[in-house]
Each structure stands twice: as C-alpha cells, then as structure tokens.
Amino acid sequence: MALIVQKFGGTSVGTVERIEQVAEKVKKFREGGDDIVVVVSAMSGETNRLIDLAKQISEQPVPRELDVMVSTGEQVTIALLAMALIKRGVPAVSYTGNQVRILTDSAHNKARILQIDDQKIRADLKAGRVVVVAGFQGVDEHGNITTLGRGGSDTTGVALAAALKAEECQIYTDVDGVYTTDPRVVPQAQRLDKITFEEMLEMASLGSKVLQIRSVEFAGKYNVPLRVLHSFQEGPGTLITLDEEESMEQPIISGIAFNRDEAKLTIRGVPDIPGVAFKILGPISAANIEVDMIVQNVAHDNTTDFTFTVHRNDYQNALRVLEQTAREIGAREVIGDTKIAKVSIVGVGMRSHAGVASRMFEALAKETINIQMISTSEIKVSVVIEEKYLELAVRALHTAFELDAPTRQGE
Ligand code: ASP
Ligand code: MG
C-alpha cells in the first residue's frame, strides 16, 4: 500500500460536476488500497475574480489582507471535494493550510514553506480517511494566513509529498503530460514518458507552463517523483525524476522551449576598460530589472558593444537607465529591439554528445534564420532570433533533433 499525493488544478475542479468526477477518481484509487492525500486549487477563474475584487478597493491591496481573501478560493474546493467523497461513502476530511499547519515565512503573496506538520494527516490516513488539503496557502508563525504565489498549489502538493515521504506526487491537469514542445506550434510534438527535474526546470523557466517552477525545484531538492497527468483521460502522463538513463534510444534533446517575453538592448561604442560591464549592469540591477542573456563583443578601436536581454515589461525602464549610462561613460549609442524571441533546446543528453549546438545552428541556417545572440549551459542552448521566425525555428529544430512523432500509415 502506497501513499500518494494527488493535486488537482483549477480547471479540474472548475465546476461542481468536475468536483464530482474528481471524487469518483479519488474513490477508485482509494479502493485500490492506496492512502490518498488530495491537494486542490481554487475553481478555475476564482483566484482572478478575488484579486479583481480587491483591486476595486485599492490598486495595490495590502498584501496580508489579499492573502486572507484569495485563500478562500481553495477553502471552498476542499469542502466541496470532501463532501463529494463522503457522499460516495469514502471517509474524508478537509483542512486549510492553517489547520494542517503548513508553516511559511511571512512574505505575503509569495511565502515560502518552512515546515509541515504531518501528525494530523498521518492520524487521519491511519483511520482510513482521505485527506483533502487546500493548496496555495499556509500560515506564518504569528498565525497570519499566507499564500505561495500564483500557481502555488503545485508547490503545496510537492511539499506535502516530501513531508509525508509519499511514493509519488501526481499533478492532475488539463494536459496529458509534458510535451517535447508546445503542440499548438508543432502538431507532431510528443508526450514525454520521462524527463529529469533539471530538464523540467529549464523547460519551465523557458516558458513551458505545465508546472509552477518552484514546485519543480522543490521536487528536485527533496527527490519527490512528480507525475503530470490528465485529470479526466486515462494515460501514463509524464514522470519527472532524478535519474538520467543512458539508453541508446534516448534522444539527445528532450524538448524545445521558447518565449516571446524578452527584449534586447545594445550599448555601442563602449570604452574597453575594466569595470565597464559593472557600470552598465549596476544601474540596471539597482532599478530592479532582471537581466537574462548577456553578450559582449571583442573590442576593436578600443571600444566594444554590449548586448543584454530583459523582460519585455522592463524594456522602457531599462532603455531609460541605459541611455543615462551611455551619456555617463561616453558610449556611442543605445539601440533596442522588442521584436525578438528566445528558442532553447534542452536535454541532459547534451552532456555526453558533441556537436549539439552546431546541429542547432545548421537547422536554423537551412531556414535562413539569423541568430542574434547565443547562450549555453550544460543542458541547454538558447538563441535569440527575430520574433517573426519563432514558429518556423521551433518546427525546424523539432524535426532536426528527431522529436517529431512518427506519422502513422494513411495519415
Ligand atoms: N489558485 C491559485 C492560483 O490561481 C493557486 C493555484 O491554482 O495553484 O494561482
Ligand atoms: Mg494552477
């Protein structure tokens, strides 16, 4: 008999009918003999509705009070699901974050979990009950309600699985797993049976939105096997784990991620002297702007060009700061571009294979797509290209790295 944590997202509990369906599903698992802890999100749209309400009172609601309010979304779903289970003859009990005691720090709206008391849950499981816990919320040491940031129920699920040493944390959602890339862009994208925490983390931070990034970090840190599954379709889903199998068939690249969220800034004709990179990026970080990719060119005529990317929302702000810097250090000019996109190939297989980057560049060259910037890590190569070529680039790379699903006969 195993202990499994099952997390159901907002769309999976979006209506009373769906909550009844979730109850049926949980009941089946329970009848299979496993101990089940369920974590639920608010009904889909509910958290947004609550935030909108708060904003009608104040553009910047007091963070503590906002938490008191948005945490109610999950409180409704835990009660409804527990009722639906009890109606089916499945003993169940619901708990808020405060009642379990999911202890967090006091950073309202983005709190971090410090400790979870597992006593009460274990006692309930022992008594044969399904335990239904509110996702996204906790309590600080002073008894204030806190929330974990948008999408935080995933993290609640993983944290509970870690605390209870569960066999697996199953994340039920509206997709049937993690894909090689976004199927809306590449119809031949395939569901991955397995992916490592590291790869998933890269995919998530690069724009694949299946899981909250923090939940993947947490799962990796505590080695909690995570499985992404469709709430209402049968299937094995995608298992996210630590192990990297060295198998011959394993593709070198696991997935292709992309985003359109960045903008590029270049400061040209910068005097090539020590301390210049700091002079350029110091004021940017002082303005609380996060920098992603950075490229500095080799100097000629004693000056250099320096390019970096920021989130598109920060572009105007960054441009203003950089223009000021340019005047101060006597740089020639500042230019910017918001019509860029970042495409990345991700895979632990890169560690043991040479020529991955050149294969990527070759595929882009064949489509006459110009590469503006490049950055690499141990398991990732990212390029910045013109935004209008994004979909073409993703498709070309998906094919070049043999990720396309085999077309069946007659298709
Ligand atoms: N209800 C919260 C949100 O919408 C938490 C979650 O769904 O994971 O962000
Ligand atoms: Mg969610």
Side-chain angles (χ1 to χ4, degrees):
M1 208 169 83
L3 197 170
I4 296 172
V5 174
Q6 302 186 319
K7 183 259 169 178
F8 290 88
T11 49
S12 313
V13 293
T15 61
V16 168
E17 292 72 35
R18 291 211 167 158
I19 292 176
E20 302 256 23
Q21 271 176 278
V22 168
E24 279 299 322
K25 194 166 182 118
V26 172
K27 179 177 182 215
K28 280 213 194 89
F29 273 97
R30 186 73 200 98
E31 285 167 356
D34 290 333
D35 280 340
I36 309 286
V37 174
V38 185
V39 173
V40 284
S41 291
M43 295 168 85
S44 62
E46 180 63 8
T47 307
N48 287 342
R49 188 186 73 84
L50 292 168
I51 293 173
D52 286 348
L53 264 182
K55 291 212 162 150
Q56 287 176 36
I57 300 280
S58 148
E59 224 350 90
Q60 299 244 292
V62 180
R64 182 193 181 278
E65 304 312 324
L66 189 61
D67 277 349
V68 171
M69 189 162 78
V70 293
S71 62
T72 61
E74 272 73 10
Q75 187 167 341
V76 170
T77 26
I78 54 170
L80 288 173
L81 181 58
M83 289 173 199
L85 285 164
I86 293 163
K87 184 170 89 177
R88 285 167 174 76
V90 180
V93 59
S94 71
Y95 292 125
T96 63
N98 188 7
Q99 288 173 316
V100 174
R101 203 133 195 278
I102 297 179
L103 181 71
T104 71
D105 61 19
S106 303
H108 286 288
N109 311 162
K110 50 175 190 295
R112 288 190 171 262
I113 297 176
L114 301 174
Q115 204 191 322
I116 294 183
D117 188 353
D118 62 344
Q119 294 307 313
K120 197 185 274 183
I121 295 179
R122 285 197 193 281
D124 282 311
L125 291 174
K126 207 160 169 215
R129 284 187 277 270
V130 168
V131 180
V132 185
V133 180
F136 179 54
Q137 56 178 264
V139 64
D140 76 0
E141 57 172 335
H142 310 293
N144 298 302
I145 296 173
T146 56
T147 63
L148 310 178
R150 298 308 304 269
S153 298
D154 290 345
T155 300
T156 306
V158 173
L160 272 169
L164 294 163
K165 300 187 177 58
E167 184 130 317
E168 196 169 278
C169 179
Q170 301 176 341
I171 307 279
Y172 288 92
T173 179
D174 51 3
V175 292
D176 66 348
V178 179
Y179 274 68
T180 48
T181 194
D182 187 340
R184 283 168 302 190
V185 172
V186 183
Q188 295 87 353
Q190 304 186 66
R191 180 184 54 78
L192 294 158
D193 284 326
K194 247 180 164 186
I195 186 170
T196 65
F197 291 124
E198 252 185 312
E199 290 169 317
M200 190 62 217
L201 210 51
E202 292 283 10
M203 296 284 280
S205 29
L206 294 165
S208 161
K209 302 227 161 46
V210 187
L211 289 171
Q212 195 209 28
I213 293 174
R214 220 206 275 177
S215 71
V216 183
E217 277 169 8
F218 214 106
K221 188 164 164 200
Y222 293 97
N223 195 10
V224 178
L226 257 180
R227 193 184 290 275
V228 175
L229 299 135
H230 196 288
S231 301
F232 306 118
Q233 290 168 14
E234 291 304 315
T238 299
L239 180 65
I240 308 162
T241 57
L242 209 54
D243 68 314
E244 274 172 43
E245 267 169 47
E246 275 295 346
S247 111
M248 289 295 284
E249 293 100 289
Q250 192 100 336
I252 301 168
I253 298 304
S254 296
I256 297 172
F258 56 86
N259 74 52
R260 298 176 166 90
D261 300 342
E262 292 186 24
K264 186 177 77 162
L265 294 124
T266 300
I267 177 165
R268 304 182 69 179
V270 177
D272 187 30
I273 47 170
V276 153
F278 174 61
K279 280 207 179 107
I280 294 169
L281 292 185
I284 295 285
S285 86
N288 236 328
I289 299 169
E290 247 179 77
V291 171
D292 181 29
M293 293 165 93
I294 304 171
V295 170
Q296 187 192 284
N297 291 348
V298 178
H300 56 95
D301 66 33
N302 295 325
T303 71
T304 170
D305 296 348
F306 190 99
T307 305
F308 58 94
T309 64
V310 297
H311 196 281
R312 245 181 234 189
N313 295 344
D314 290 327
Y315 174 71
Q316 286 303 337
N317 207 354
L319 192 62
R320 225 175 304 120
V321 173
L322 197 60
E323 273 164 353
Q324 173 66 25
T325 304
R327 280 191 292 275
E328 282 168 23
I329 63 177
R332 196 175 330 120
E333 63 175 336
V334 170
I335 49 177
D337 188 356
T338 55
K339 297 204 166 40
I340 59 159
K342 181 162 104 173
V343 184
S344 312
I345 55 174
V346 176
V348 289
M350 251 181 240
R351 288 198 180 114
S352 48
H353 287 83
V356 175
S358 69
R359 191 156 152 195
M360 178 185 202
F361 304 155
E362 182 188 15
L364 296 173
K366 275 192 184 146
E367 303 293 342
T368 0
I369 298 171
N370 189 37
I371 299 170
Q372 303 180 1
M373 294 172 84
I374 301 167
S375 84
T376 64
S377 81
E378 227 187 314
I379 63 160
K380 170 191 79 178
V381 183
S382 302
V383 296
V384 166
I385 58 171
E386 217 180 312
E387 185 180 8
K388 68 177 182 202
Y389 296 124
L390 176 62
E391 306 203 335
L392 178 62
V394 175
R395 273 187 224 116
L397 293 170
H398 202 265
T399 305
F401 285 99
E402 292 162 14
L403 295 173
D404 292 348
T407 40
R408 268 157 276 153
Q409 287 225 310
E411 274 184 55

